[in-house]
Amino acid sequence: MSDYSYIGERLAEIKATLKAGVNLVAVSKTHPVEALQAAYNEGQRIFGENKVQEMTMKQELLPKDIEWHFIGHVQRNKIKYMAPYVSVIQGVDNFEKLVEINKQAAKYNRNIKCLLQIHVATEETKFGFTPEECLNMLETSAWADLPNVTIAGVMGMASFTDNMEQVRAEFEQLVTLFNTIKRRYFAEVDTFTMISAGMSDDYHIAMDCGSNLVRIGSSIFGARDYSK
Ligand SMILES: *Cc1c(COP(=O)(O)O)cnc(C)c1O
């Protein structure tokens, strides 16, 4: 039996540092359901996972009022497995995936919130639309014909670097794009609201720049062991 009592303490510490209006996604990937249950018992209701199979297994075992956010790279053929329950799919990086999410959500009579993942980092390995690709996609208006998805905001990851000025500039770029998109395409509705940015090491900077959804894993649950 492992002792997960540290989780409640860490969660409380982090929550105390969040600005008003900022929501916390507890990123629980690789950690066992007991660790998530410990966070749940302390009141945490939003969890983030990056593997569909792992998230679905946990979803089946844990209380049903949890809001599941998929924060990984979205593979089209796996969307169907999370469609019955997922609240937010954070990593949508092309129009075809929105179409597939819409199709799968419709089967369950659901509406799934999607965040457009924007490539703001310098690394080539990070997925996402370039700002220009994203605006081009929205300009077609085809997304407006997908009744079972709601485009609810943007998501981004900063470069993996010690240069905090660069990290700040990348988050600022994300927030600027969010504002542009909101003004151009969502000015009349209140559904486009989420700016998902910031992880354990950079969420303070992300909040400074305007993030209202931070995704924090290791600071809550500890280091991840990928060998298990
Ligand atoms: C793992 C992960 C996080 C959490 O990272 P930590 O550094 O452990 O806080 C946040 N966002 C994404 C997309 C992740 O894959």
Side-chain angles (χ1 to χ4, degrees):
M1 275 287 288
S2 300
D3 178 13
Y4 294 108
S5 53
Y6 66 92
I7 288 175
E9 232 164 87
R10 290 190 181 183
L11 202 51
E13 276 170 21
I14 286 167
K15 279 198 204 151
T17 65
L18 298 183
K19 290 190 177 187
V22 175
N23 285 314
L24 170 64
V25 179
V27 176
S28 47
K29 63 193 188 200
T30 76
H31 295 286
V33 287
E34 290 80 8
L36 283 74
Q37 183 71 54
Y40 181 92
N41 293 347
E42 299 296 328
Q44 183 63 29
R45 291 294 180 273
I46 309 176
F47 289 87
E49 292 277 340
N50 70 344
K51 297 251 163 41
V52 174
Q53 201 179 356
E54 181 179 345
M55 180 168 76
T56 301
M57 181 271 286
K58 289 171 173 172
Q59 190 270 340
E60 285 167 4
L61 295 171
L62 286 161
K64 298 299 171 258
D65 61 341
I66 288 176
E67 212 181 279
W68 293 95
H69 286 220
F70 186 72
I71 61 168
H73 181 60
V74 182
Q75 289 171 279
R76 247 171 97 171
N77 58 346
K78 303 240 170 102
I79 292 168
K80 56 178 177 281
Y81 301 113
M82 58 179 158
Y85 67 89
V86 71
S87 292
V88 183
I89 298 180
Q90 292 210 9
V92 177
D93 58 2
N94 63 48
F95 178 70
E96 288 66 37
K97 286 177 191 169
L98 282 177
V99 171
E100 179 65 14
I101 294 166
N102 182 68
K103 178 178 152 194
Q104 297 300 333
K107 290 186 184 167
Y108 301 95
N109 224 336
R110 300 189 67 232
N111 186 285
I112 297 175
K113 294 189 182 99
C114 294
L115 305 188
L116 303 173
Q117 182 167 358
I118 311 299
H119 181 98
V120 288
T122 49
E123 292 126 342
E124 292 195 358
T125 52
K126 298 239 157 78
F127 297 103
F129 289 100
T130 65
E132 190 188 358
E133 285 167 353
C134 186
L135 292 171
N136 287 342
M137 188 277 286
L138 291 167
E139 195 59 35
T140 68
S141 294
W143 53 271
D145 296 329
L146 304 174
N148 295 79
V149 302
T150 296
I151 297 179
V154 296
M155 180 264 208
M157 284 166 91
S159 295
F160 184 70
T161 171
D162 292 333
N163 182 345
M164 288 302 148
E165 286 317 303
Q166 182 183 344
V167 168
R168 182 177 294 273
E170 291 171 358
F171 286 144
E172 279 169 354
Q173 195 191 341
L174 181 71
V175 173
T176 300
L177 182 66
F178 171 87
N179 289 330
T180 301
I181 294 172
K182 187 164 177 72
R183 196 173 57 240
R184 285 197 198 161
Y185 305 103
F186 298 98
E188 312 298 326
V189 295
D190 58 6
T191 51
F192 190 79
T193 56
M194 297 186 202
I195 303 175
S196 173
M199 320 195 337
S200 289
D201 291 336
D202 58 18
Y203 76 96
H204 290 282
I205 300 175
M207 286 193 302
D208 273 356
C209 296
S211 166
N212 58 22
L213 193 60
V214 294
R215 310 179 307 267
I216 300 182
S218 43
S219 295
I220 300 171
F221 296 105
R224 286 179 286 273
D225 179 357
Y226 287 101
S227 67
K228 281 193 285 194

